């Protein structure tokens, strides 16, 4: 029996970074497939545009830094950032939106701070927030689920509207967002916020065709798909339960309390859980090992903080979905969380 010394970080997993990233791709698959089923193949187009941009940006920056380009591509971190950003934006967003967001995420958020392992903020969410603040119309113009769409799209139409703004028949995105009743519809969370802000009751708002038994049509199933993928990651010990569990508790507990006191003027907890980017954020974004807390206690607090911020911003803030803002705000607290939650080093816990 030999005694081995090794530098930190210490882990019981023998997986390489590439193997971990492959598990992340696999776990994303259920949610991405469901997102494509409900919102169209534009999801795949956005992913391909993001991947191409990320590869080129990574190569250019590594060349400027006199670093091996192949090594940067092999760790797959840029690919994961590109995919997460691509599935976070509307499927029919103009092509330049995902290009700008991916360039900012890779070049500025990742490499300006030193590259892999040095970035302070989650690159995908920083790119998303840049796009949301700069191009709010494009970032909030989600297409209707396919079963509600008045004008079905072919693959050619999808490419045409992403690259030109119009389908082959000349329809623009605003026309495509009209339901069978001829009314332009918002996303479920945005629709609820608007209705409740106009003194409508929750019961009245939920009669709209965009809502189903579990929440928004399409959105609930997409969130369930990402939930399944997240559970796979926990089962494979790629991530721990502390951050997603903390985030969901931090969101659902205050949402339940607020809903109990305002049952017809508040978003129900189940709808919070199965709307927007809740499950994607809990299992795939907040769990980024570089920008999250490192101890289990710190991770739990980190997740709770994100969940509470999501609830507060969704309820009283100016944006219907708040996962990106909540994650970036929580990223700022990581140094403090690590300082006060990491176990005491042996030999340094007593009084001097």
């Amino acid at each position: 029996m030999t005694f081995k010394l090794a530098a930190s970080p210490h882990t019981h997993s023998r997986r390489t970074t590439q193997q971990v990233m492959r598990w992340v791709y696999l776990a994303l698959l259920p949610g991405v497939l469901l997102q494509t089923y409900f919102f169209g193949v534009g999801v795949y187009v956005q992913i391909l545009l993001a991947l191409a941009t990320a590869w080129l940006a990574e190569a250019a920056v590594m060349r400027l830094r006199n670093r091996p380009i192949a090594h940067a591509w092999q760790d797959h971190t840029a690919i994961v950032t590109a995919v997460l950003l691509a599935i976070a934006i509307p499927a029919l967003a103009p092509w330049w939106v995902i290009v700008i967001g991916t360039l900012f995420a890779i070049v500025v958020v990742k490499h300006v701070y030193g590259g892999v392992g040095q970035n302070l903020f989650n690159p995908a969410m920083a790119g998303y927030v840049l796009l949301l603040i700069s191009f709010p119309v494009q970032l909030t113009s989600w297409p209707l689920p396919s079963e509600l769409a008045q004008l079905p799209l072919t693959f050619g139409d999808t490419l045409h509207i992403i690259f030109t703004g119009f389908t082959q028949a000349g329809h623009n995105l605003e026309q495509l967002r009209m339901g069978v009743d001829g009314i332009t519809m918002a996303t479920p969370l945005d629709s609820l916020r608007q209705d409740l802000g106009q003194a409508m009751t929750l019961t009245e708002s939920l009669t709209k065709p965009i809502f189903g038994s579990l929440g928004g049509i399409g959105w609930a199933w997409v969130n369930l798909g990402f939930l399944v993928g997240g559970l796979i990651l926990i089962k494979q010990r790629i991530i721990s339960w502390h951050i997603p569990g903390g985030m969901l508790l931090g969101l659902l507990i205050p949402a339940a309390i607020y809903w109990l006191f305002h049952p017809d003027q508040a978003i129900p907890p189940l709808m919070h859980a199965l709307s927007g980017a809740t499950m994607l954020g809990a299992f795939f974004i907040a769990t980024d090992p570089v920008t999250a807390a490192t101890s289990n206690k710190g991770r739990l607090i980190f997740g709770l903080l994100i969940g509470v911020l999501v609830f507060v911003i969704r309820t009283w803030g100016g944006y219907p979905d708040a996962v990106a803002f909540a994650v970036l705000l929580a990223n700022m607290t990581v140094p403090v969380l690590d300082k006060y939650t990491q176990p005491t080093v042996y030999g340094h816990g007593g009084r001097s």
Side-chain angles (χ1 to χ4, degrees):
M1 183 175 179
T2 58
F3 180 73
K4 295 181 179 180
L5 296 176
S8 64
H10 307 289
T11 175
H12 296 289
S13 173
R14 296 182 181 273
R15 295 187 180 97
T16 64
T17 302
Q18 295 94 322
Q19 290 172 330
V20 170
M21 293 300 103
R22 290 191 195 106
W23 273 109
V24 173
Y25 304 147
L26 181 63
L28 281 169
L29 196 57
V32 171
L33 290 175
L34 286 166
Q35 191 169 337
T36 305
Y37 175 79
F38 285 104
F39 299 108
V41 294
V43 176
Y44 296 147
V45 178
Q46 300 293 345
I47 290 174
L48 290 175
L49 286 171
L51 289 175
T53 305
W55 278 327
L56 292 173
E58 190 90 343
V61 173
M62 295 301 284
R63 187 67 176 266
L64 289 173
R65 297 177 62 191
N66 294 319
R67 301 287 182 85
I69 296 175
H71 178 72
W73 283 342
Q74 288 170 1
D75 67 22
H76 292 208
T77 55
I79 298 175
V80 171
T81 296
V83 172
L84 289 175
L85 181 57
I87 61 181
I89 71 170
L92 298 180
W95 65 271
W96 46 266
V97 168
I98 188 62
V99 170
I100 292 173
T102 306
L103 284 173
F104 181 78
I106 300 298
V107 177
V108 178
V109 184
K110 179 181 177 182
H111 282 289
V112 164
Y113 286 95
V116 177
Q118 304 298 318
N119 48 288
L120 302 178
F121 299 101
N122 183 289
M125 290 301 93
Y128 178 86
V129 167
L130 170 77
L131 295 176
L132 184 59
I133 294 174
S134 304
F135 315 108
V137 174
Q138 288 79 7
L139 263 286
T140 54
S141 297
W142 282 84
L144 285 176
S146 54
E147 61 188 89
L148 299 178
Q150 184 182 22
L151 301 169
L153 290 179
T154 65
F155 181 68
D157 286 329
T158 298
L159 290 177
H160 219 262
I161 196 166
I162 289 175
F163 287 99
T164 69
F166 296 90
T167 66
Q168 293 170 319
H171 298 112
N172 60 28
L173 183 56
E174 192 68 13
Q175 292 171 312
L176 295 176
R177 296 179 64 223
M178 289 186 180
V180 292
D181 55 1
I183 300 175
T184 302
M185 295 186 181
T187 60
L189 276 177
D190 199 22
S191 180
L192 272 177
R193 283 173 54 88
Q194 292 176 12
D195 293 345
L196 296 177
Q198 295 172 1
M200 288 180 63
T201 66
L202 178 67
T203 304
E204 291 171 336
S205 183
L206 293 180
T207 59
K208 290 183 176 181
I210 199 171
F211 295 104
S213 56
L214 294 176
I217 291 178
W219 294 89
W221 287 106
V222 171
N223 272 276
L224 288 173
F226 287 125
L227 171 61
V228 170
L231 294 176
I232 291 173
L233 292 182
I234 292 176
K235 175 69 174 176
Q236 294 297 320
R237 298 185 178 181
I238 303 297
I239 62 174
S240 70
W241 63 268
H242 299 84
I243 292 177
M247 176 177 163
L248 293 178
L249 286 175
L251 170 61
L252 299 181
I253 290 176
I257 295 172
Y258 190 68
W259 181 64
L260 287 174
F261 285 96
H262 307 277
D264 225 15
Q265 289 295 322
I267 301 173
L270 181 62
M271 192 165 294
H272 269 294
L274 299 180
S275 296
T278 300
M279 295 300 172
L280 178 66
F283 291 96
F284 295 93
I285 294 172
T287 53
D288 174 19
V290 175
T291 57
T294 54
S295 68
N296 286 339
K297 183 179 179 181
R299 290 170 182 166
L300 187 59
I301 298 172
F302 179 76
L304 286 168
L305 177 61
I306 293 174
V308 171
L309 287 171
V310 169
F311 169 73
V312 169
I313 297 172
R314 282 183 179 179
T315 305
W316 297 288
Y319 294 91
D321 200 3
V323 172
F325 290 102
V327 169
L328 294 182
L329 289 171
N331 287 158
M332 298 180 188
T333 69
V334 168
V336 175
L337 289 176
D338 283 345
K339 179 178 180 179
Y340 290 104
T341 62
Q342 285 180 341
T344 304
V345 178
Y346 180 76
H348 294 269
R351 296 180 180 177
S352 58

